[in-house]
Amino acid sequence: MAALIIRQIPARQDNYIYLAHEPETGLTAVVDPADAAPALEAAQSEGWKISHILNTHHHGDHTGGNLEIKQATGCTIVGPRADHDRIPGIDIDVGDGDTYALGKAVARVFDVPGHTRGHIAFWFGDSKALFCGDTLFIMGCGRTFEGTAAQMWNSLSKLKALPPETQVYCAHEYTQSNARFAVTVEPDNKDLLARVEKVNAMRSAGKPTVPDALGEEFKTNPFLRADLPALQQAVGSPGDPVATFATIRLRKDKF
Ligand code: ZN
Ligand code: FE
């Protein structure tokens, strides 16, 4: 068991690529490389050799750098078993309940379908790090492109069961627009209003709002709160978390 050293690399418009370095063995994974160049440059400047790519899902802004990084480093690509055919260069398939070891850092893998059919998340418990791609965002969640609201709610419920101190390393800086929407769902949520102030100040200062603690999401992310009676009442689906989630997701899609 070893704690990862994690570096965040901004890419494209609003993507985050991550380098996760396991210091005892020296193994280094790139998580969701949108493009090769920023990942290769960041690894070089750290003096780390990329040994693995971890993909959460098949979208191009998460796998666009796969083949070029593999070509340059000979790395091993790990991705969702359920989407084997859509992950460029995949070598190792993983899925729900698997453990995946990057050297001495061990992740539990969750299937979290909804955004895509084969989406997975990697939870490195000893590092308190969750790499969740486009499933959970700060104060938001991914669009349900290839799945149903019920699937997405079920996927988010798995992540919701992780410890509150878990850091959410999601793949996009969507926080401010998520925050603007969240206050329309819960205008009286004091934790939410305080957090919106905080993230606005961070963005004004040019700072990333990712990662942040999962416990903050429990208090402020409307998509994780669809099981709360007050929120269910507010959207007109008392006792029904899936319908509540579906309504909130639909509203956000049109926001
Ligand atoms: Zn995506
Ligand atoms: Fe994405």
Side-chain angles (χ1 to χ4, degrees), residues 61-62 134 172:
D61 61 320
H62 299 254
D134 289 355
H172 290 277

Side-chain angles (χ1 to χ4, degrees), residues 29-77:
V30 188
V31 182
D32 281 355
D35 296 300
L40 292 168
E41 283 160 23
Q44 190 177 31
S45 79
E46 294 288 348
W48 297 343
K49 188 184 175 312
I50 294 170
S51 55
H52 294 79
I53 291 172
L54 307 183
N55 288 132
T56 62
H57 67 295
H58 76 88
H59 284 157
D61 61 320
H62 299 254
T63 60
N66 274 23
L67 296 180
E68 200 181 328
I69 294 171
K70 189 174 187 176
Q71 180 88 36
T73 64
C75 71
T76 299
I77 300 180

